[in-house]
Amino acid sequence: MIIWPYAAAPAVAGVLCYFLFNPTVGIIALYMKILGYEWNHSLNGGQAMFPVIIAAAWREISNNFLFFLAGLQAIPKPFIEAAAIDGASPLKRFWTITFPLLSPTAFFLIVMNIMYAFFDTFGVIHVITDGGPNNATNIVVYKVYHDGFLGLDLGGSAAQSVVLMIIVISLTVIQFRYIERKVNY
Amino acid sequence: MADVSIKDVYKTFGKTEVIHGISCDIKDGEFVVVLGPSGCGKSTLLRMVAGLEVITKGEIAINGAVVNDLEPADRDIAMVFQNYALYPHMSEKNMAYGLKIRRMPKEEIEKRIRNAANILEITEFLDRKPRQLSGGQRQRVAMDRCIVREPKVFLFDEPLSNLDAKLRVQMRLEIRRLQEDLEVTSISVTHDQVEVMTLGDRLIIMDNGYAAQVGSPLEIYERPATRFVAGFIGSPGMNFLPVPLSADGQWVELPGATRLPLQNGGIPSHRGQEIILGIRPEHCDLAGEQAGMMHLNVDHVEILGADTLVYGHFGEDNALLAVRLPAIHHFEKNTILPLVVSTKNMHIFDKESGKRIGD
């Protein structure tokens, strides 16, 4: 059940959020109105990123959950038992033994999720906001598409995609250089 | 320093009962080894003492205080796991972990680690993570992690099974020396019977969830209480021959029609019945042609250097026999060896119950 969202296409996740947050028919928008909050993400640029984030994260959480579950199950029980004998409370055991032993999984997921955020959120944005309002959700990967295919500025679009690639590569390199040091295999 | 008392302990997993009532009093400073084949419940027993398994029925007390409902942390024990369970992301902190959690001052922790590292000579490995250590070094770190805690009881779960043969002998001596120096009550679990003979002050031999025998290694070697115990201790295992007991219970008839008189007035209670005669391979000796009680037809010879193991058969129904002879012998296949065995080294078991009978 928990992994079902991962089976949904990004666009489907986007449509789901689009309807939930839609100012006219959306149930979440309705409740917010009842609570006295004026919700209109198609006009308010500050609000527009929110449904995008929700849709993208909802789809990805299940995937992350699976990896963490696998990571948890791969931790041999004697470690936890040894810590219990050493006198650690369950919470302490989690923070000092389980959590560090999950760090390879966590590191892998950080890298993958950042790449996901840069590239695979395209469908979600396309469905929910089309990069608007007023470019508030126009992230680079969407802008590449928008400028290239809609604006027909192919040169600029190609240049932006190179910039995007450089950004992601350098982010990944930074992660491997500085975060991986703290990871225990 | 503590005594441990195990009183009529039972353990069930779901509907299966795996330990059917075990009792044992372990004195302060004693080293008790629990021995048995795989799946006999020995590890479960140890884990119940450690508090990692719930005790279904019965009582375990450390220093007189019942610990049934105490968390492992509150029992003041330390355990060496079979695969050591060293925290892979810590170096010397592995040893400090238990102390830090108990909020011991830093200087004291450092002092204890240095002392323990000196005892087992691992000072130069202190800053290494477990994956940078060899099997023997990991074993030492695991033991040091127990030593620094200065617990009331040491528990060892098959501590030597992951080491190669040479290291095993060395670590065995070291564990024994350490235990004697520190005088900490220790319980070890193993299926290695050499380990048992040398390590323990007292043994518990477990068979299928029951304690088949509790006693000193020599006692168990010399007077095994059941056929199971007799076959389990000693390598190669004891030879068992089903033989008839005479009508007056004074002698047995070996295959090959040799009569063997029994000591201490025989076994009148089982006269005329078939019994199991147990003879250890090392208690058979070569004899002159005339004096031989058994004439062994050699099948196979293993020369170990110090000893020679001879496997063969004898008598009309080809009873199998293994013999350990001192020094080196070269026997051809099908050589007939006359053998003697002294009556004082014979063990007699009831055929049905497998219990030791007679002397």
Side-chain angles (χ1 to χ4, degrees):
Chain A
M1 270 270 274
I2 295 176
I3 62 160
W4 279 4
Y6 196 58
V12 175
V15 168
L16 195 70
C17 268
Y18 176 76
F19 279 115
L20 284 175
F21 286 95
N22 187 297
T24 324
V25 297
I27 188 158
I28 294 180
L30 174 73
Y31 282 132
M32 282 199 275
K33 194 170 269 171
I34 292 171
L35 291 174
Y37 188 80
E38 196 61 41
W39 179 269
N40 193 341
H41 70 257
S42 51
L43 291 178
N44 187 337
Q47 294 174 348
M49 203 48 130
F50 189 69
V52 171
I53 291 172
I54 294 285
W58 174 71
R59 217 179 83 78
E60 209 56 12
I61 278 176
S62 57
N63 187 29
N64 284 240
F65 158 81
L66 263 197
F67 274 97
F68 274 121
L69 181 68
L72 277 176
Q73 285 175 344
I75 296 176
K77 236 181 142 201
F79 291 146
I80 313 295
E81 290 173 348
I85 288 179
D86 268 345
S89 65
L91 200 68
K92 187 110 190 164
R93 261 177 261 162
F94 179 80
W95 277 116
T96 52
I97 308 294
T98 312
F99 196 67
L101 292 181
L102 274 180
S103 61
T105 315
F107 176 67
F108 167 76
L109 286 175
I110 286 174
V111 174
M112 293 312 284
N113 286 340
I114 286 184
M115 284 198 209
Y116 171 85
F118 271 92
F119 295 121
D120 294 343
T121 42
F122 175 86
V124 175
I125 291 172
H126 192 49
V127 168
I128 300 181
T129 63
D130 266 335
N134 194 19
N135 289 339
T137 56
N138 199 5
I139 67 166
V140 186
V141 70
Y142 193 78
K143 190 165 159 38
V144 166
Y145 158 79
H146 200 268
D147 291 1
F149 292 91
L150 301 181
L152 290 178
D153 174 14
L154 288 179
S157 164
Q160 285 174 40
S161 74
V162 172
V163 170
L164 173 61
M165 187 178 80
I166 291 169
I167 292 176
V168 173
I169 288 177
S170 46
L171 269 180
T172 308
V173 168
I174 288 171
Q175 286 163 17
F176 270 90
R177 295 218 22 194
Y178 295 101
I179 304 185
E180 200 198 16
R181 278 193 204 154
K182 300 203 167 99
V183 170
N184 315 280
Y185 290 101
Chain B
M1 311 302 118
D3 45 62
V4 177
S5 117
I6 301 170
K7 244 188 249 153
D8 209 22
V9 162
Y10 287 78
K11 175 73 191 173
T12 45
F13 287 112
K15 278 187 181 161
T16 16
E17 192 173 88
V18 291
I19 290 181
H20 321 280
I22 286 197
S23 299
C24 180
D25 279 312
I26 300 163
K27 290 191 285 288
D28 185 14
E30 198 177 19
F31 200 142
V32 169
V33 180
V34 185
L35 175 72
S38 301
C40 68
K42 55 189 189 306
S43 283
T44 311
L45 182 68
L46 191 77
R47 290 169 62 85
M48 284 198 287
V49 178
L52 299 172
E53 299 283 357
V54 177
I55 302 160
T56 310
K57 214 170 96 188
E59 229 176 61
I60 291 179
I62 298 176
N63 252 357
V66 177
V67 296
N68 280 26
D69 298 323
L70 282 188
E71 288 290 316
D74 304 325
R75 296 189 183 196
D76 204 3
I77 45 160
M79 181 159 168
V80 177
F81 287 80
Q82 185 173 1
N83 47 12
Y84 318 135
L86 296 174
Y87 313 125
H89 53 295
M90 302 181 186
S91 47
E92 82 267 37
K93 287 203 202 102
N94 251 305
M95 293 182 225
Y97 186 74
L99 304 179
K100 260 191 194 155
I101 281 173
R102 280 154 218 267
R103 296 180 201 288
M104 196 168 278
K106 255 205 176 123
E107 308 82 64
E108 174 71 14
I109 294 178
E110 232 159 74
K111 205 180 92 202
R112 284 198 186 187
I113 289 181
R114 203 153 313 123
N115 275 342
N118 277 334
I119 295 177
L120 285 180
E121 295 158 7
I122 54 167
T123 319
E124 69 250 56
F125 311 127
L126 276 183
D127 50 353
R128 291 205 201 162
K129 295 211 171 142
R131 74 187 144 95
Q132 296 162 312
L133 298 171
S134 71
Q137 291 160 352
R138 278 183 212 175
Q139 165 89 50
R140 282 157 206 256
V141 174
M143 280 166 55
D144 262 355
R145 186 168 70 181
C146 294
I147 296 172
V148 292
R149 290 257 321 276
E150 298 180 1
K152 286 188 199 142
V153 184
F154 275 151
L155 304 174
F156 298 92
D157 188 3
E158 312 216 356
L160 304 176
S161 60
N162 280 4
L163 300 175
D164 65 49
K166 200 174 159 206
L167 213 50
R168 198 176 294 180
V169 175
Q170 192 192 337
M171 286 313 294
R172 198 165 66 210
L173 288 172
E174 230 155 277
I175 291 182
R176 182 69 220 192
R177 194 198 53 167
L178 188 73
Q179 198 269 342
E180 274 167 2
D181 287 352
L182 301 175
E183 296 175 334
V184 178
T185 315
S186 302
I187 306 175
S188 176
V189 154
T190 180
H191 55 245
D192 180 340
Q193 40 116 343
V194 182
E195 198 175 314
V196 164
M197 295 301 286
T198 50
L199 215 49
D201 295 319
R202 213 141 53 97
L203 312 184
I204 304 175
I205 313 282
M206 284 188 62
D207 177 17
N208 236 332
Y210 293 95
Q213 191 170 5
V214 181
S216 75
L218 263 188
E219 217 173 289
I220 286 175
Y221 178 79
E222 284 171 349
R223 290 179 51 83
T226 67
R227 187 179 158 172
F228 170 82
V229 175
F232 206 73
I233 297 276
S235 170
M238 189 186 275
N239 298 295
F240 296 109
L241 305 168
V243 293
L245 196 62
S246 68
D248 57 358
Q250 296 300 315
W251 47 267
V252 292
E253 191 179 308
L254 289 175
T258 317
R259 290 180 170 191
L260 210 54
L262 297 176
Q263 273 190 321
N264 301 340
I267 310 163
S269 58
H270 285 66
R271 55 173 160 252
Q273 295 177 22
E274 184 149 283
I275 49 123
I276 303 286
L277 179 67
I279 302 169
R280 289 200 184 277
E282 52 270 40
H283 290 149
C284 295
D285 270 319
L286 284 177
E289 187 59 43
Q290 294 307 312
M293 297 171 184
M294 299 169 283
H295 291 85
L296 186 73
N297 192 335
V298 176
D299 289 329
H300 182 65
V301 180
E302 286 175 355
I303 298 172
L304 303 179
D307 309 303
T308 305
L309 301 180
V310 183
Y311 301 90
H313 58 273
F314 73 109
E316 54 266 38
D317 38 1
N318 290 331
L320 294 175
L321 194 74
V323 180
R324 183 195 281 267
L325 299 170
I328 294 171
H329 300 267
H330 296 278
F331 298 119
E332 292 294 317
K333 200 177 168 186
N334 293 329
T335 318
I336 305 289
L337 295 180
L339 297 171
V340 285
V341 54
S342 84
T343 23
K344 73 174 200 318
N345 287 330
M346 288 192 319
H347 309 271
I348 294 172
F349 304 100
D350 184 83
K351 198 173 177 195
E352 299 297 315
S353 65
K355 290 219 165 76
R356 184 187 186 84
I357 48 177
D359 156 47

